[in-house]
């Protein structure tokens, strides 16, 4: 091969190599996708599809399930209410808008349902208060609150000290109109807005006797707010325990 043909061969070889390199780069950029936590694949260091490892979403198998401690129907003030407690015992996992279904059965077998969305902070017991699910004469006697399929979706997070606490809980139960007073305390240097406060009254057997809920619009920095809960009818049994629980969001209820 003379020098002219050799030079052409070298030039075409270099050109061909450049074409192959450019094609490889374009093909890599088109067909290769960096692994993420939302690509519906189990890749990188995930322990499940889009969960575990470095993903913020935890695999459900890695997290002990949240539980519904109880769901009770209460007839008060001419209507039937439901109070339930959902417990998240995990100190390093939380869930937002966990989807649940309430099923309440009347004495004739008729089913009343409600859709519930609830936030579950780490290491927390969350009250779910559903007022007026039926009139007092509707005959509802049983209620069940269960998680929907695929819910909750657990996120990685740790429990923090509550910014708002409750103190000075006093129960006054005259024969006609019971009353409970308490004080809401803001422990932070910033105002706290729209605190949801749920009160549940328990009898000697652990049954919920009554429940109520209110919203405190503004709690000043390092400030307090008095709260008064009243009922128009006496409780069905002596009061043994009163739970007053503040949360930063109320469960969303759709009847």
């Amino acid at each position: 091969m003379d020098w002219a043909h050799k030079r052409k061969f070298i030039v075409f070889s270099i050109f061909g190599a450049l074409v192959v390199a450019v094609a490889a780069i374009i093909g890599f950029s088109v067909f290769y996708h960096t692994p993420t936590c939302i690509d519906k694949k189990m890749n990188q260091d995930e322990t499940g599809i889009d969960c575990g490892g470095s993903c913020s979403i935890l695999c459900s198998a890695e997290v002990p399930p949240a539980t519904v401690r109880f769901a009770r129907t209460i007839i008060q003030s001419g209507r039937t209410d439901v109070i339930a407690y959902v417990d998240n015992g995990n100190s390093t996992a939380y869930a937002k808008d966990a989807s649940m279904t309430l099923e309440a059965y009347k004495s004739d077998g008729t089913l009343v349902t409600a859709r519930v969305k609830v936030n579950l902070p780490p290491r927390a017991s969350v009250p779910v208060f559903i007022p007026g699910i039926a009139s007092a004469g509707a005959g509802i006697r049983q209620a069940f609150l269960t998680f929907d399929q695929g819910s909750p979706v657990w996120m990685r997070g740790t429990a923090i000290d509550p910014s708002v606490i409750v103190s000075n809980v006093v129960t006054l139960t005259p024969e006609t109109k019971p009353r409970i007073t308490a004080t809401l305390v803001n422990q932070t240097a910033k105002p706290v807005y729209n605190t949801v406060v749920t009160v549940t009254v328990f009898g000697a057997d652990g049954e919920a006797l009554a429940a109520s809920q209110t919203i405190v619009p503004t709690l000043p920095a390092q400030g307090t707010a008095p709260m008064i809960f009243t009922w128009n009818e006496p409780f069905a049994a002596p009061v043994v325990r009163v739970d007053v629980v503040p949360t930063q969001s109320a469960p969303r209820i759709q009847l």
Side-chain angles (χ1 to χ4, degrees):
M1 181 184 296
D2 58 22
W3 170 244
H5 287 88
K6 185 180 294 187
R7 185 173 60 183
K8 288 181 179 180
F9 176 77
I10 293 173
V11 170
F12 283 121
S13 297
I14 294 174
F15 178 76
L18 289 175
V19 170
V20 171
V22 171
I25 293 172
I26 294 174
F28 182 83
S29 62
V30 170
F31 295 105
Y32 177 78
H33 299 283
T34 302
T36 69
C37 292
I38 56 173
D39 56 12
K40 300 186 184 303
K41 297 179 181 179
M42 183 177 173
N43 44 30
Q44 48 183 346
D45 63 346
E46 299 167 0
T47 55
I49 297 177
D50 293 342
C51 64
S54 58
C55 295
S56 58
I57 297 177
L58 298 171
C59 296
S60 57
E62 301 174 331
V63 184
T67 58
V68 179
R69 193 192 317 170
F70 68 83
R72 301 279 189 271
T73 58
I74 302 172
I75 298 177
Q76 55 186 25
S77 301
R79 67 173 191 255
T80 299
D81 302 336
V82 172
I83 180 67
Y85 269 58
V86 183
D87 297 330
N88 175 19
N90 302 291
S91 60
T92 57
Y94 71 94
K96 295 186 67 176
D97 287 336
S99 178
M100 308 185 76
T101 298
L102 176 80
E103 296 180 329
Y105 291 88
K106 298 181 180 181
S107 55
D108 62 0
T110 304
L111 176 63
V112 179
T113 63
R115 308 291 294 178
V116 179
K117 297 282 188 178
V118 60
N119 292 335
L120 301 174
R123 206 176 61 218
S125 295
V126 180
V128 177
F129 179 60
I130 306 175
I133 192 169
S135 62
I140 289 181
R141 293 295 179 264
Q142 287 184 306
F144 302 92
L145 184 64
T146 56
F147 286 102
D148 296 336
Q149 185 175 4
S151 186
V153 176
W154 294 109
M155 306 291 289
R156 196 183 311 277
T158 55
I160 59 175
D161 292 333
S163 58
V164 176
I165 62 173
V166 174
S167 66
N168 303 324
V169 178
V170 177
T171 305
L172 303 174
T173 55
E175 294 182 358
T176 53
K177 294 184 178 181
R179 183 176 66 172
I180 293 174
T181 63
T183 301
L184 200 61
V185 181
N186 181 5
Q187 302 184 107
T188 71
K190 296 181 179 180
V192 176
Y193 301 100
N194 298 322
T195 303
V196 180
V197 184
T198 306
V199 58
T200 309
V201 181
F202 295 93
D205 56 359
E207 292 283 328
L209 302 175
S212 186
Q213 190 174 82
T214 190
I215 297 178
V216 178
T218 304
L219 192 57
Q222 300 291 335
T224 62
M227 296 179 295
I228 301 177
F229 300 90
T230 60
W231 289 264
N232 294 324
E233 303 170 358
F235 300 142
V239 176
V240 171
R241 189 176 94 250
V242 175
D243 283 354
V244 184
V245 181
T247 57
Q248 288 306 303
S249 61
R252 303 202 309 272
I253 313 296
Q254 182 180 357
L255 298 174

